[in-house]
C-alpha cells in the first residue's frame, strides 16, 4: 500500500463546476496535510494546508480532513481553465516535517 | 519576500559525469529540503537540513549523491557519477522550521545521456 494515494486522472470538469480531488494516506500519526498545484514544467506551489479535522476554506478552495478515515480532499469551486494543473497531496510521515507526496491528480477544466 | 532560488535551471550531462546544483532558501528559513521529481511522480525527499545539520537523508543514494549546507544558508547537491536514471527535476524547498509549510524553488531539470 502506498503511503499517499491519489487518483492520477485526468479529472475533467466544465468551467464553473466544482472539482473534487481526493487523497488517502496510511500513516495514522500524520498531523499535517498540504495541497500543492503544479503546472506543467513548473515547480509545486502551495495552495492549502490543513491540520485539524473538518473544513478549511480559502477563496475558491476548500480543504477537508478526516483523520479517522485517513482521508483529505480539495474542492475547487467555480473552476476556471487556469485551474488546469496537477494537484499534489502531501502528508507528513514518520514524525517531523518529512513530506510524502502522492503522484498527483491531473485536473482539466474545459470551456 | 524573495522565493527559493536555484541554479542552474537546466543541465545536460553524459552518464558517469558529475553535476552540482545550488539552492538559496527564503531568508530566515532554517529548514532546507532537496527533492527529486521523476516525470509522472510526486517529489521524493532526498535530504533535509535543519540549519546546517542533517535531519533526514534516509532516501539519499549516498554512494553517488552528496549534499551540504555550510553556514546554514545555501546548499549544494552533488551527483557523482551520474546514471541515466538520475534524469529528473531536482527541487529545493525551505520552511521556517521543522514543522512549517514548505515552499519550492523553480527546480533544476537534469538530463543524463
Amino acid at each position: 500500500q502506498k503511503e499517499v494515494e491519489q487518483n492520477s486522472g485526468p479529472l475533467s470538469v466544465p468551467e464553473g463546476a466544482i472539482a473534487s480531488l481526493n487523497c488517502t494516506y496510511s500513516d495514522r500519526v500524520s498531523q499535517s496535510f498540504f495541497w500543492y498545484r503544479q503546472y506543467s514544467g513548473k515547480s509545486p506551489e502551495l495552495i492549502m494546508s490543513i491540520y485539524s479535522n473538518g473544513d478549511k476554506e480559502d477563496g475558491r478552495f476548500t480543504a477537508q480532513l478526516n483523520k479517522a478515515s485517513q482521508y483529505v480532499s480539495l474542492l475547487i469551486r467555480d473552476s476556471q481553465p487556469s485551474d488546469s494543473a496537477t494537484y499534489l497531496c502531501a502528508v507528513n510521515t514518520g514524525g517531523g516535517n518529512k513530506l510524502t507526496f502522492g503522484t498527483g491528480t491531473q485536473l482539466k477544466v474545459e470551456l | 519576500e524573495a522565493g527559493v532560488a536555484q541554479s542552474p535551471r537546466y543541465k545536460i550531462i553524459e552518464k558517469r559525469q558529475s553535476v552540482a546544483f545550488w539552492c538559496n532558501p527564503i531568508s530566515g528559513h532554517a529548514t532546507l529540503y532537496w527533492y527529486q521529481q521523476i516525470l509522472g511522480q510526486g517529489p521524493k525527499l532526498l535530504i533535509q537540513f535543519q540549519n546546517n545539520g542533517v535531519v533526514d537523508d534516509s532516501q539519499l543514494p549516498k554512494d553517488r549523491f552528496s549534499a551540504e549546507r555550510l553556514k546554514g544558508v545555501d546548499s549544494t547537491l552533488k551527483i557523482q557519477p551520474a546514471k541515466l536514471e538520475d534524469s529528473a527535476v531536482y527541487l529545493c524547498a525551505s520552511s521556517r522550521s521543522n514543522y512549517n509549510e514548505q515552499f519550492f524553488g523553480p527546480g533544476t531539470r537534469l538530463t543524463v545521456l
Side-chain angles (χ1 to χ4, degrees), chain A:
Chain A
Q1 181 187 10
K2 293 182 180 178
E3 291 186 86
V4 179
E5 293 206 51
Q6 296 181 256
N7 187 320
S8 61
L11 172 66
S12 293
V13 300
E15 184 178 6
I18 296 175
S20 178
L21 305 163
N22 305 313
C23 172
T24 58
Y25 60 95
S26 60
D27 189 343
R28 288 193 169 275
V29 301
S30 295
Q31 296 294 322
S32 306
F33 307 86
F34 306 90
W35 284 99
Y36 286 83
R37 177 176 62 198
Q38 188 171 29
Y39 292 114
S40 180
K42 301 295 185 182
S43 62
E45 173 192 8
L46 180 66
I47 54 172
M48 289 289 285
S49 58
I50 187 166
Y51 303 96
S52 55
N53 280 329
D55 294 0
K56 178 182 178 182
E57 187 175 317
D58 184 359
R60 296 187 296 112
F61 299 100
T62 298
Q64 299 176 317
L65 175 61
N66 184 325
K67 291 184 181 179
S69 299
Q70 295 175 247
Y71 177 91
V72 59
S73 65
L74 178 70
L75 301 178
I76 305 175
R77 290 181 299 281
D78 189 23
S79 294
Q80 301 297 309
S82 59
D83 294 326
S84 297
T86 296
Y87 289 81
L88 296 163
C89 173
V91 177
N92 81 305
T93 56
N97 204 22
K98 174 181 177 179
L99 289 187
T100 297
F101 285 80
T103 55
T105 297
Q106 184 183 7
L107 173 66
K108 293 184 177 180
V109 181
E110 299 169 335
L111 297 172

Side-chain angles (χ1 to χ4, degrees), chain B residues 7-19:
Chain B
S7 68
R9 294 294 309 278
Y10 306 91
K11 190 74 176 179
I12 300 174
I13 62 172
E14 296 191 349
K15 61 182 178 183
R16 290 187 290 273
Q17 287 187 321
S18 63
V19 64

Side-chain angles (χ1 to χ4, degrees), chain B:
Chain B
E1 181 178 66
V4 176
Q6 288 188 249
S7 68
R9 294 294 309 278
Y10 306 91
K11 190 74 176 179
I12 300 174
I13 62 172
E14 296 191 349
K15 61 182 178 183
R16 290 187 290 273
Q17 287 187 321
S18 63
V19 64
F21 313 125
W22 173 83
C23 173
N24 182 255
I26 294 171
S27 178
H29 281 198
T31 310
L32 184 147
Y33 314 80
W34 283 102
Y35 288 87
Q36 179 193 59
Q37 186 174 25
I38 293 172
L39 189 64
Q41 299 181 18
K44 182 184 83 170
L45 180 68
L46 293 175
I47 189 167
Q48 176 182 344
F49 291 94
Q50 177 74 14
N51 295 310
N52 59 353
V54 175
V55 175
D56 186 335
D57 63 356
S58 58
Q59 298 187 98
L60 185 73
K62 299 181 184 64
D63 57 334
R64 298 184 300 106
F65 286 65
S66 64
E68 60 181 10
R69 190 184 184 196
L70 301 176
K71 301 181 181 178
V73 182
D74 293 9
S75 178
T76 302
L77 176 70
K78 297 180 181 178
I79 307 174
Q80 181 179 11
K83 292 185 175 181
L84 296 177
E85 58 261 37
D86 297 332
S87 294
V89 176
Y90 291 84
L91 296 161
C92 180
S94 69
S95 63
R96 286 195 178 278
S97 73
N98 207 24
Y99 294 91
N100 292 127
E101 300 165 335
Q102 297 181 26
F103 299 91
F104 284 86
T108 297
R109 183 176 299 275
L110 174 68
T111 301
V112 182
L113 302 176

